[in-house]
Amino acid sequence: MKTPQLPPLIIKKSPSAFYVYTYKNKWDPEKKRSYRASFKKVGTVTSGEKDGRIRWDDHFLAERPELRDFICERKGKDYVFTPMNEGGFTLSQTMEVKQLHAGATWALDQLVAQSPIGEALKRAFPQRRDYLKVLSVAYFIILNQDNNISRYPTFAEATRLPWGGPLHPSSIGRIFRKIKKQQIENYFSAVQEGLIEQKKKVGDDDKLTLALDSTSISSYANKLPNVERGRNKDEDNLPQINLLMLVESQSGLPIFFRIYDGNVPDVQTVRRVIADNSRLGIQNVVLVSDRGYSGTKNINDCLRSKVGFLFNMKCGVSGSLTQELIDEERLNLQDLNRRDWYTVTKKINWIYEPSPVKNQRSTRKTRETAELYWHIYFDRQIAENARQGLFERIDRVQEKIANSKALDENEQTLLEEVFEKHEQDNAVSYTVDNKKVDQQLRYKGYRVLVSDEISDAGKAWCAYQERWIVEDTFKTLKSRLGCSRNRVSDNESLTGKTFVQFLATSIAMIVRTRLRKYSEECEKNSALPMVYDGDGRVLDSLNNVMQARFCGGYYFGEIAGKRRKLFEALGVPVPDAEPEKEQDYEDEEETEF
């Protein structure tokens, strides 16, 4: 077979790849010498380095069809041709087998395809299969439990991934910077639509119940505009950004996040979340939040925007409606003859302005009313524990004062809150003010949930208890996936990397939810094999299921025993021995978000 002849070629380096160009020489009459001109790209060095196999562009192959019968590699200044057999492979390729860790990423692929995430990613990042790159980086975070992107190339070399082409840390940094706010919002809308569609398929027309909460992400990058000192929830004395999420309670799937300044109080963020969700068209939802987000302004904003809510109200605000309602029902709630677990529901006509105008007083004509359900609960054991705890703290303060010992910060606060100071003959003494103690304990053991949607106290309690899912989401993000630091230095990278970490957390939460449901089914059905491992250990075990790369394709070996049970527990099919076709991956330089 005759070796093909190539025109003059030159290799040019881009930030992420090496490209092959043809050129023509032209004569410069002034300098009396020739120079290279009329460059035309004809191929790419697939190794990511200057030497390696060349993938010719289609237009060049059309011009020179004889190249289709050879593998061409660049070695130094030479271009070496190796004839291919009938299957399109050289003898050395036919004998070459590469083993990849594949079981975990196979399972993650199936879970993503079964959830709204897959279609949402395709809608948000449709160009040139860019969603595959984002997904591959998310898999790296999940399986490595670390967001240090410098380790990605080593991981990708030995792992089956949605995007099998090379991605260097600098390329991943560019991917982060290319992820824009509009694409993220497209993803949010698509996930929400997918969840609603899934609920309709099973005949569930209820609204989406979204648990709302935030956490702090500490940062050493003081130049980031959102990094401020605030109430750090990890108590590590570092500046921070705050990250708020909405998590769908039933599926455990996060569907929305926002980054905001580290010094902004939680209660001030709800208005912006409501505005964002209204703009994105996220409707038919009920927001469930803890005390940090409750307040009159947030209730009014939800009513104006037609967003359902279930807020846990603060009981310690003096003179508030919450305290008034508790005082009205105190005797009923503490009546030992009651059998309905000390619960009272009050229906209140709530007055609000549908469209308030700044600096103008409202009138009756501009006001609207809504029926709100105030569910008041009393737990006698919590009240008793609070009483005993306060008495013990008072005893410690009294003992320290008697022995002239210094008080710590909390004890000093208690001294100011419930003790009376007496000065006589240059001597200082303290006595407990019993009225102040009673006031401290007056609202202990009470919880008040207010909703415009949920009229039943039992259902409201269950919906509030399910908000633990958002706390589990933050635990997964920060502890399980190692994303307690953002490891970026500019705001563009922060937005993109936070989205990829959010995506990784979403997929990890699907894994956790599937395993939890399987465990619950095992308890009901003794015939099912129990899986005791957590999600991290399950994925670690599946990651040792290998896939062989052979002749341009891939195939799994035999899978048996415990690992088959793990696939079953996740609700995904066990991969069979049928080969997967190798994809032709576009290079990073030609891909634009």
Side-chain angles (χ1 to χ4, degrees):
M1 188 178 291
K2 187 177 179 181
T3 302
Q5 297 297 313
L6 294 174
L9 299 176
I10 188 172
I11 304 295
K12 287 189 175 184
K13 183 182 185 303
S14 76
S16 62
F18 286 87
Y19 299 105
V20 185
Y21 288 83
T22 60
Y23 64 90
K24 292 182 180 180
N25 285 323
K26 288 189 177 182
W27 180 259
D28 187 335
E30 293 183 1
K31 296 183 179 180
K32 299 186 182 302
R33 62 181 177 86
S34 63
Y35 64 95
R36 292 170 181 165
S38 302
F39 290 97
K40 184 178 180 180
K41 178 177 173 294
V42 295
T44 305
V45 184
T46 60
S47 65
E49 300 176 357
K50 200 167 185 177
D51 290 345
R53 178 177 172 178
I54 296 174
R55 183 180 70 240
W56 303 112
D57 292 346
D58 289 340
H59 70 86
F60 192 62
L61 289 173
E63 295 172 2
R64 298 172 179 266
E66 67 274 13
L67 292 176
R68 300 181 187 274
D69 297 328
F70 293 85
I71 298 294
C72 181
E73 294 181 274
R74 187 178 190 276
K75 296 182 178 180
K77 295 182 179 181
D78 298 325
Y79 293 87
V80 179
F81 289 92
T82 306
M84 292 190 294
N85 60 22
E86 293 181 359
F89 305 99
T90 66
L91 179 61
S92 61
Q93 283 182 307
T94 304
M95 298 178 64
E96 181 181 303
V97 176
K98 183 176 182 179
Q99 296 290 329
L100 297 174
H101 295 277
T105 58
W106 163 273
L108 295 178
D109 278 349
Q110 311 312 308
L111 294 175
V112 167
Q114 293 171 11
S115 76
I117 290 177
E119 287 302 318
L121 282 174
K122 291 179 183 179
R123 185 189 298 187
F125 307 102
Q127 300 88 357
R128 296 180 179 269
R129 300 178 295 174
D130 292 330
Y131 65 94
L132 296 178
K133 298 177 184 178
V134 174
L135 200 55
S136 295
V137 179
Y139 286 2
F140 163 76
I141 293 174
I142 294 170
L143 297 177
N144 276 264
Q145 304 177 29
D146 188 0
N147 67 347
N148 188 347
I149 300 303
S150 65
R151 300 175 182 174
Y152 179 87
T154 303
F155 166 80
E157 182 70 20
T159 307
R160 170 197 176 276
L161 290 168
W163 180 263
L167 282 179
H168 299 287
S170 59
S171 303
I172 296 173
R174 285 192 294 277
I175 290 173
F176 290 155
R177 289 189 289 274
K178 289 176 183 177
I179 296 176
K180 303 303 181 184
K181 184 177 179 181
Q182 184 59 54
Q183 292 169 305
I184 296 174
E185 292 183 347
N186 290 342
Y187 174 84
F188 292 156
S189 298
V191 168
Q192 184 257 355
E193 291 173 13
L195 279 173
I196 291 178
E197 189 64 28
Q198 285 186 349
K199 288 171 71 71
K200 287 181 178 178
K201 286 182 179 179
V202 297
D204 184 355
D205 293 326
D206 290 343
K207 293 185 175 183
L208 295 178
T209 302
L210 306 180
L212 180 153
D213 206 349
S214 66
T215 191
S216 56
I217 305 293
S218 300
S219 176
Y220 293 103
N222 293 318
K223 293 183 180 180
L224 291 175
N226 295 112
V227 173
E228 300 283 354
R229 287 198 174 270
R231 181 177 174 272
N232 193 296
K233 298 181 181 181
D234 293 331
E235 299 182 354
D236 57 9
N237 196 32
L238 284 173
Q240 67 193 48
I241 60 170
N242 286 331
L243 177 66
L244 179 144
M245 281 194 195
L246 297 180
V247 181
E248 206 273 315
S249 298
Q250 185 174 352
S251 66
L253 184 63
I255 72 164
F256 178 85
F257 78 87
R258 267 197 72 234
I259 298 172
Y260 60 98
D261 292 355
N263 59 356
V264 175
D266 290 344
V267 71
Q268 295 182 15
T269 63
V270 175
R271 172 170 291 187
R272 177 65 184 276
V273 170
I274 295 170
D276 285 344
N277 282 273
S278 297
R279 178 170 49 82
L280 295 174
I282 299 179
Q283 301 174 348
N284 296 319
V285 300
V286 178
L287 300 181
V288 181
S289 75
D290 211 349
R291 287 189 294 267
Y293 301 91
S294 62
T296 300
K297 289 183 178 179
N298 290 337
I299 290 176
N300 291 341
D301 284 339
C302 286
L303 293 172
R304 294 182 190 114
S305 302
K306 310 302 180 185
V307 174
F309 60 90
L310 177 67
F311 289 156
N312 181 16
M313 304 301 290
K314 295 179 180 178
C315 297
V317 179
S318 180
S320 64
L321 176 60
T322 303
Q323 287 194 351
E324 290 181 15
L325 294 176
I326 292 174
D327 289 340
E328 288 178 7
E329 300 295 335
R330 185 179 299 275
L331 294 178
N332 287 331
L333 290 164
Q334 297 187 15
D335 186 355
L336 296 177
N337 293 304
R338 291 172 60 90
R339 297 293 182 184
D340 54 359
W341 62 298
Y342 312 114
T343 303
V344 170
T345 296
K346 304 276 286 186
K347 188 186 294 185
I348 303 293
N349 286 323
W350 185 270
I351 301 174
Y352 69 100
E353 297 177 64
S355 300
V357 180
K358 190 175 182 180
N359 298 326
Q360 290 188 16
R361 299 184 65 180
S362 62
T363 64
R364 289 185 178 181
K365 293 183 179 180
T366 62
R367 296 177 181 176
E368 290 190 7
T369 60
E371 284 190 345
L372 301 187
Y373 303 97
W374 293 68
H375 306 293
I376 310 169
Y377 310 86
F378 177 67
D379 190 310
R380 189 175 302 277
Q381 188 60 52
I382 292 177
E384 184 59 31
N385 291 343
R387 180 180 297 275
Q388 290 299 322
L390 180 60
F391 289 171
E392 290 173 6
R393 291 168 59 207
I394 289 173
D395 288 343
R396 285 197 296 270
V397 170
Q398 289 176 320
E399 183 178 351
K400 283 191 173 183
I401 291 174
N403 295 319
S404 301
K405 293 183 178 180
L407 303 180
D408 63 26
E409 184 178 348
N410 292 330
E411 291 166 343
Q412 184 64 40
T413 300
L414 183 63
L415 182 71
E416 296 169 1
E417 289 178 345
V418 300
F419 283 79
E420 285 288 335
K421 183 178 180 180
H422 307 283
E423 297 184 41
Q424 187 175 6
D425 299 331
N426 295 325
V428 177
S429 61
Y430 293 91
T431 58
V432 177
D433 188 323
N434 290 299
K435 290 184 178 180
K436 290 183 178 180
V437 171
D438 289 341
Q439 189 62 31
Q440 284 267 330
L441 297 172
R442 186 171 180 81
Y443 300 100
K444 299 297 183 183
Y446 291 94
R447 186 183 299 281
V448 178
L449 303 178
V450 60
S451 177
D452 65 330
E453 291 280 343
I454 307 175
S455 59
D456 182 80
K459 291 182 178 179
W461 181 265
C462 291
Y464 175 75
Q465 292 301 312
E466 288 175 352
R467 65 169 296 282
W468 66 269
I469 195 69
V470 69
E471 297 174 1
D472 192 41
T473 302
F474 288 135
K475 182 179 178 181
T476 299
L477 170 71
K478 297 169 74 172
S479 299
R480 161 79 175 81
L481 303 184
C483 298
S484 58
R485 300 284 188 278
N486 48 52
R487 297 179 187 269
V488 296
S489 58
D490 63 89
N491 209 43
E492 285 184 318
S493 296
L494 175 64
T495 300
K497 188 169 187 181
T498 302
F499 173 75
V500 177
Q501 292 175 344
F502 170 83
L503 175 63
T505 305
S506 301
I507 299 169
M509 288 302 295
I510 294 176
V511 175
R512 292 176 67 81
T513 302
R514 291 286 181 97
L515 292 176
R516 184 172 62 253
K517 288 184 177 179
Y518 183 80
S519 177
E520 292 170 356
E521 289 298 320
C522 287
E523 293 176 0
K524 299 175 184 177
N525 184 357
S526 59
L528 288 174
M530 186 64 186
V531 177
Y532 293 99
D533 295 340
D535 56 304
R537 293 190 63 181
V538 166
L539 291 177
D540 286 344
S541 180
L542 290 180
N543 202 38
N544 288 323
V545 173
M546 306 302 289
Q547 186 185 58
R549 178 178 181 176
F550 177 71
C551 288
Y554 303 86
Y555 69 90
F556 284 93
E558 181 64 28
I559 301 170
K562 178 182 177 181
R563 291 189 179 122
R564 293 189 72 89
K565 296 177 183 177
L566 296 182
F567 284 114
E568 178 185 346
L570 290 174
V572 302
V574 178
D576 56 31
E578 290 296 319
E580 284 188 290
K581 184 179 179 181
E582 181 177 11
Q583 297 189 54
D584 181 23
Y585 296 101
E586 299 285 345
D587 57 276
E588 168 65 14
E589 182 65 19
E590 294 181 322
T591 302
E592 293 294 335
F593 275 59

